[in-house]
Amino acid sequence: AGDKFRANEREMDEKLFSKKYDEYRDDIINDPTSPSVGPDDADVVIVEFFDYNCGYCKQAFFDVQAILKDDKNVKVIFKELPILSSGSKTAAQWALASHKQGKYWEYHSKIMKSPSKDERTLEKLAKDIGLDIKKLKKDADSTEIQEAIENNLELTRQLGIRGTPAFIINDSLARGYIGLEGMKSQIKQIRAEEG
């Protein structure tokens, strides 16, 4: 009965997600505060909710990196979701601040690959890629960036996303870590259905 209950619960979750997603889709896809990589006219759009201190998010980073490298028709939108620690929130704020200097993907990659994510490390990584530290810190503490993170948290509450990583691939939700092959097969399926 446990499995059946879980299956029903999943189905309920999916229904809730679809209903809510339609309502929030525009906010999710077109939020100017969410950094993205890939062409605006891509035929597949992946939205990733993640936390810098989540082990599976780190693995997912390498998958996303591989997809962006190999597939020029995918756009990835990054939603910072710092739910694991106060350090996660600082990293998210600094990363969003780097977006204002046009170096989000570079900085995001550095943070993801770094074993340590304390403030000293964040500053060192920022210096390594030539970010203006003074501006970075000022922007990181801005109301605008605080609100962007709050909006992401509120979105996940509304959509019933309860953990990281979570991916929305062309409007359908994939919870948890699905791996590179999982992502590729979903992309392939989407193109087959839409082709």
Side-chain angles (χ1 to χ4, degrees), residues 35-181:
S36 66
V37 179
D40 283 335
D41 60 352
D43 67 344
V44 173
V45 177
I46 299 173
V47 181
E48 180 187 10
F49 292 88
F50 66 92
D51 183 309
Y52 285 110
N53 286 304
C54 140
Y56 282 115
C57 296
K58 200 170 199 169
Q59 283 173 263
F61 161 73
F62 291 102
D63 302 339
V64 167
Q65 191 180 36
I67 281 171
L68 285 167
K69 190 169 155 283
D70 295 343
D71 194 326
K72 299 301 173 210
N73 210 4
V74 170
K75 178 181 179 179
V76 180
I77 299 170
F78 298 93
K79 300 280 184 189
E80 303 273 348
L81 193 65
I83 52 180
L84 294 172
S85 68
S86 60
S88 299
K89 188 161 189 241
T90 307
Q93 285 170 236
W94 283 49
L96 286 173
S98 76
H99 183 40
K100 289 184 167 297
Q101 296 184 42
K103 293 199 170 191
Y104 177 83
W105 172 243
E106 211 178 327
Y107 193 45
H108 168 82
S109 306
K110 289 261 186 206
I111 302 173
M112 273 297 180
K113 290 174 185 170
S114 169
S116 162
K117 295 173 180 44
D118 57 30
E119 259 191 70
R120 216 173 67 221
T121 307
L122 290 174
E123 193 167 320
K124 184 191 173 306
L125 298 174
K127 276 186 183 143
D128 287 349
I129 58 169
L131 284 163
D132 174 337
I133 304 293
K134 213 170 147 189
K135 178 174 167 32
L136 192 72
K137 287 183 174 179
K138 189 170 172 277
D139 288 336
D141 287 333
S142 68
T143 318
E144 183 195 346
I145 280 178
Q146 303 278 358
E147 281 175 359
I149 291 171
E150 278 307 313
N151 288 346
N152 288 349
L153 290 163
E154 181 53 31
L155 262 181
T156 55
R157 279 193 285 271
Q158 294 294 336
L159 296 170
I161 293 170
R162 289 187 279 271
T164 55
F167 293 92
I168 300 170
I169 303 176
N170 270 31
D171 306 346
S172 94
L173 178 65
R175 290 171 199 279
Y177 179 65
I178 55 171
L180 182 58
E181 291 316 312

Side-chain angles (χ1 to χ4, degrees), residues 11-27:
E11 202 177 308
M12 290 275 291
D13 273 356
E14 295 314 316
K15 282 196 177 121
L16 170 79
F17 171 78
S18 298
K19 190 165 167 278
K20 283 285 186 186
Y21 181 72
D22 289 345
E23 203 180 308
Y24 289 99
R25 185 179 189 278
D26 194 49
D27 296 344

